[in-house]
Amino acid sequence: MAAAAVAARSSPARALGGPGKRGLVAAISCDGDPADFLPGLDSALAAITGLGGPDTWRSLFAPGDRVAIKLNCLSGASLSPRPPLVDAVVRGIRSAGVPAGAIVLFDRTSRELERAGYPIARAADAVRCFGTDALRGGGYETEIREHRSIGSLFTRILTEHATVLVNVGVCKDHDLSGVSAACKNLFGLIHNPNRYHANRCDPYLADLLDHPAIAPKLRLNIVDAIDAQCHGGPALAPPYLFKPRKILVSLDPIAIDRIAWEMIEAERAARGMPALRDDGREPTWLATAEGRGLGIADRSRIAVREVAA
Amino acid sequence: MDRSLGRRGFLARCATAAGGLCALDPLPHSDQLPRPALGQGLFDFAPAEDGEREVSDAPADYWDSLSGDRAVCRLCPRECRVADQERGTCGVRMNVGGKYRTLVHSRVCAAHIDPVEKKPFFHVLPGAKAFSIATAGCNIQCRYCQNWEISQFRPEQIPSVEVPPARVIETARGSSCPFVAFTYSEPVVFWEYVRDVADAGNARGVRSLVISNGYIQEKPLRDLLPRLSGVKIDLKGFTESFYRDVCDGELKPVLRTLEILKETGIWFEIVVLVVPTLNDDEGSMRGLCEWVARTLGPEVPLHFTRFHPMYRLQNLPSTPIGTLERIHGYAREAGLHFAYVGNAPGHPAESTYCPGCGKTLIKRVGYTIMETALKGGSCSSCGRAIPGLWT
């Protein structure tokens, strides 16, 4: 095959982990912030893909991909994905041949990104970083996309730029959905998330995950759980911060959120706090999503592979 | 809202419509700027002149503190429980560090000078002009919303201009508008701004009209009504299932609002947008008409207006005129004296007829008043008093 053809190759669409990859979550143990997160990410991807070496990243990304990395920066610098972690994710994606100019870090607003430690970058030949709000016209599409209970405008970063979506969230309690880790971060892709907070976000989170604008593009989920929050979310609530010292990595957005939920519940139990169910905030949308075939929420069917940083 | 205009064009038209009297700064016609196609590695960033996308930071009323910096909103029946940094369903009221704030006070996203007939008010000073304004946001979500481009957005997602209450009144007076109308989106969610503009207007002889879904709690409603001259309520349907499934709202609180309007004596009219197959069945429409006649009385104007495909309801046809006429007939059979057909320019049921002698009192074609036969609020022929706000 000609080199040019190889360079233009895009990785095939994989919906939500693909066959045989569901229910696998890698947990990178981080006693402190490692000097470089990439070796741990390499190990994590090897654990969940069954591959090793250069093939791990290449199994997920290809030179022709345009990658949008959705960060969750709502809670500011203290509880957003760490920039060194995201830097390692970018280097991993680039190791698969994706050019820097094809990678965008984004969240709802540039202001949120800056507050979380991500300088705005717009140069076309480098990794870019900006909020949806930086785009002309507000940054959202103009036509509603309907799917099940969802009727929303999507960020044009996802619909007009990205062929691949990487989801990088944090591990925190959420006052309405119970847990905000991977799936809840996806609310930042639409213009009207406030419309979908009823009934503990069930079935809205499942329906959004299943949306044709998202499902075919969602390639990888990462949750920064070196620090986490067991109550008072989604905003930063320092009394409820704790330190799981983990980075979770999975192709399955439901399984990774199920493990994040488990971490939050363990900390709540250790503090003598009620379980989310008893607090009226059980994340029932996880079971709804599993029922729709979007991933594994049943803990007994999820395997966690511990790897070193 | 003029559907031929985008929301930015709509705003920009404000300045044109009001001529030199409208002091609002026109927003840029960003839709008219050349746009490079988005593609690989090519982004289309907002230039500095792409209009303001700012929000206000003013104290909100009607909320209570909950534990852990949470708040519960008491403005509408939804009673959103809102964590720090989160918003209610309306998207325009936000918990900031345990304090509830409104993000839309004085942030006008649509402004226009309309005849009161466009609201529609058919028993309010025929042909009078209303300086009509809106902010972003709504507390329900009708799947057929005609103004979803402002009602279903957060304030920072659409351009707006800062228009303090005094400037609204100054603009209305300068444009010979005896009324300010809060319309297009949902005034309930910008309650504090409505209050402040209404107060400013009452001090300077400009009256306020509210066009609302009526989905509001009793306390803020009762606090607001003494400041207003008229209210139009969009009664979406007459079943809880329609409200729940099509509008993401509730019927019962809206009926309570109508009862309070009747009780307080403020002038009000009711509009029902008739959506084919969803709220046009004989049982619910007869029930609605009979409830209005029985509870609010036969003198309340009741408008049945025509649906056109919009927003998330694109798969239904426009309402057949025959359907409107059928339901108009139910209203007459229920004993209502002032039933109308709307969004059907030229239809005879757009006009007002005297219940006493049948004389045409106000002949309308669309929003245009062709002739009037009212004399001091009474029929010029038989002298029957006609309810309304005629002076």
Side-chain angles (χ1 to χ4, degrees):
Chain A
M1 184 181 293
V6 172
R9 179 176 65 88
S10 296
S11 52
R14 300 174 182 80
L16 307 179
K21 304 300 183 189
R22 296 187 176 186
L24 278 177
V25 178
I28 308 170
S29 296
C30 305
D31 285 338
D33 277 20
D36 185 354
F37 283 91
L38 188 54
L41 288 172
D42 288 343
S43 300
L45 286 187
I48 60 174
T49 63
L51 302 171
D55 288 341
T56 51
W57 290 95
R58 289 177 189 166
S59 70
L60 297 173
F61 303 96
D65 287 341
R66 297 195 303 273
V67 181
I69 303 177
K70 171 65 174 72
L71 308 177
N72 185 344
C73 297
L74 172 75
S75 303
S78 298
L79 196 60
S80 293
R82 283 165 167 68
L85 169 64
V86 175
D87 175 69
V89 173
V90 168
R91 283 185 285 126
I93 294 169
R94 292 203 60 196
S95 75
V98 178
I103 299 173
V104 176
L105 312 178
F106 76 106
D107 201 347
R108 298 179 306 177
T109 69
S110 293
R111 186 179 301 174
E112 286 178 319
L113 287 162
E114 288 180 301
R115 281 175 40 219
Y118 294 90
I120 302 308
R122 296 180 175 182
D125 57 351
V127 175
R128 283 169 287 191
C129 177
F130 51 83
T132 291
D133 68 332
L135 299 180
R136 190 192 294 272
Y140 293 93
E141 294 185 301
T142 56
E143 295 295 324
I144 293 286
R145 293 186 187 228
E146 294 270 357
H147 182 68
R148 295 182 181 267
S149 63
I150 301 295
S152 298
L153 306 179
F154 283 75
T155 171
R156 288 158 51 211
I157 297 171
L158 174 70
T159 60
E160 297 185 25
H161 167 76
T163 58
V164 172
L165 175 65
V166 174
N167 182 15
V168 184
V170 292
C171 177
K172 60 183 178 181
D173 166 90
H174 192 285
D175 191 51
L176 298 168
S177 63
V179 171
S180 173
C183 293
K184 187 67 174 61
N185 188 32
L186 301 177
F187 266 13
L189 301 174
I190 57 177
H191 84 292
N192 57 350
N194 45 298
R195 295 289 172 192
Y196 307 121
H197 279 149
N199 195 42
R200 302 181 300 280
C201 301
D202 187 8
Y204 307 110
L205 276 168
D207 290 347
L208 183 63
L209 183 62
D210 188 41
H211 200 291
I214 293 177
K217 294 182 178 180
L218 182 55
R219 189 66 50 82
L220 177 63
N221 304 279
I222 298 171
V223 173
D224 182 345
I226 292 178
D227 296 296
Q229 184 170 306
C230 67
H231 193 71
L236 178 68
Y240 301 108
L241 290 174
F242 66 108
K243 288 189 171 295
R245 296 189 173 88
K246 302 285 186 188
I247 301 289
L248 304 179
V249 182
S250 183
L251 307 183
D252 182 336
I254 303 303
I256 198 171
D257 277 0
R258 180 64 184 84
I259 299 305
W261 178 18
E262 185 174 276
M263 288 178 171
I264 290 169
E265 292 285 26
E267 180 67 14
R268 291 176 67 91
R271 293 179 180 221
M273 299 172 69
L276 290 177
R277 171 182 292 184
D278 298 330
D279 211 25
R281 297 186 291 123
E282 181 183 10
T284 55
W285 49 269
L286 282 167
T288 301
E290 182 181 58
R292 294 192 179 153
L294 301 173
I296 306 298
D298 179 352
R299 182 63 181 88
S300 68
R301 297 171 59 208
I302 297 173
V304 179
R305 306 270 170 83
E306 298 278 349
V307 300
Chain B
M1 183 175 185
D2 186 338
R3 290 178 48 212
S4 66
L5 298 171
R7 55 182 179 271
R8 293 176 206 85
F10 182 71
L11 273 161
R13 183 166 159 177
C14 162
T16 305
L21 299 175
C22 180
L24 301 185
D25 299 324
L27 289 174
H29 297 256
S30 56
D31 283 342
Q32 299 168 8
L33 298 174
R35 284 188 174 194
L38 278 177
Q40 183 173 3
L42 181 63
F43 279 99
D44 177 22
F45 290 105
E49 67 274 19
D50 192 27
E52 293 181 70
R53 295 177 187 279
E54 300 297 327
V55 300
S56 70
D57 179 24
D61 289 331
Y62 306 106
W63 61 279
D64 290 319
S65 292
L66 299 175
S67 62
D69 276 347
R70 292 183 303 153
V72 56
C73 184
R74 306 288 190 195
L75 180 59
C76 95
R78 200 176 286 279
E79 294 208 332
C80 294
R81 291 170 186 271
V82 185
D84 184 19
Q85 300 304 313
E86 292 282 271
R87 303 186 191 184
T89 297
C90 62
V92 304
R93 299 169 78 81
M94 181 171 179
N95 182 342
V96 181
K99 305 292 185 189
Y100 212 43
R101 315 290 291 180
T102 169
L103 307 181
V104 291
H105 194 291
S106 301
R107 298 302 314 188
V108 171
C109 68
H112 201 50
I113 294 172
D114 294 330
V116 292
E117 284 76 14
K118 190 175 178 180
K119 304 299 124 190
F121 278 109
F122 278 10
H123 289 232
V124 172
L125 288 182
K129 293 187 294 183
F131 183 51
S132 305
I133 57 175
T135 77
C138 185
N139 54 349
I140 64 175
Q141 183 183 197
C142 300
R143 297 178 75 87
Y144 51 81
C145 182
Q146 307 292 300
N147 294 326
W148 69 275
E149 287 183 298
I150 57 174
S151 72
Q152 301 302 320
F153 278 75
R154 294 180 171 210
E156 72 273 23
Q157 293 171 335
I158 57 176
S160 64
V161 290
E162 182 176 11
V163 191
R167 197 169 171 203
V168 173
I169 299 308
E170 173 191 329
T171 305
R173 286 171 57 90
S175 306
S176 301
C177 294
F179 297 107
V180 169
F182 305 94
T183 182
Y184 306 132
S185 56
E186 179 45 59
V188 166
V189 306
F190 55 94
W191 188 99
E192 295 81 2
Y193 187 41
V194 175
R195 173 200 59 201
D196 294 346
V197 173
D199 285 349
N202 287 331
R204 300 200 64 197
V206 177
R207 292 182 282 182
S208 289
L209 304 171
V210 160
I211 290 80
S212 172
N213 60 29
Y215 194 52
I216 185 172
Q217 292 211 13
E218 188 163 336
K219 178 74 165 67
L221 174 64
R222 288 188 183 278
D223 289 348
L224 192 59
L225 289 180
R227 297 172 156 98
L228 306 179
S229 293
V231 177
K232 190 214 82 179
I233 295 294
D234 284 306
L235 182 56
K236 308 293 182 181
F238 205 61
T239 63
E240 288 290 356
S241 61
F242 181 83
Y243 262 87
R244 181 186 63 240
D245 299 339
V246 181
C247 301
D248 191 22
E250 299 172 89
L251 170 62
K252 189 175 178 183
V254 179
L255 297 183
R256 179 63 187 143
T257 289
L258 288 166
E259 291 171 346
I260 293 170
L261 296 179
K262 170 70 175 177
E263 171 193 323
T264 59
I266 191 170
W267 180 250
F268 69 102
E269 303 187 24
I270 301 170
V271 171
V272 180
L273 187 80
V274 178
V275 186
T277 73
L278 296 182
N279 69 354
D280 63 345
D281 63 285
E282 179 174 353
S284 69
M285 283 295 110
R286 281 195 185 278
L288 184 153
C289 295
E290 289 163 4
W291 182 87
V292 170
R294 182 175 64 250
T295 309
L296 308 177
E299 300 282 271
V300 176
L302 181 56
H303 306 246
F304 298 101
T305 58
R306 194 177 189 207
F307 157 90
H308 295 292
M310 181 62 74
Y311 189 37
R312 300 177 67 181
L313 263 189
Q314 301 275 359
N315 61 332
L316 293 175
S318 297
T319 314
I321 297 297
T323 300
L324 298 174
E325 291 171 337
R326 170 173 59 83
I327 297 170
H328 179 267
Y330 302 155
R332 302 307 304 267
E333 289 168 24
L336 295 172
H337 295 153
F338 302 102
Y340 297 100
V341 162
N343 286 351
H347 194 282
E350 281 190 314
S351 296
T352 301
Y353 303 93
C354 176
C357 67
K359 182 177 178 60
T360 302
L361 297 175
I362 306 171
K363 181 173 175 56
R364 302 180 183 86
V365 176
Y367 306 138
T368 303
I369 305 298
M370 307 304 290
E371 59 184 77
T372 63
L374 279 172
K375 188 175 180 181
S378 297
C379 173
S380 62
S381 177
C382 71
R384 188 209 194 264
I386 305 300
L389 196 61
W390 305 120
T391 58

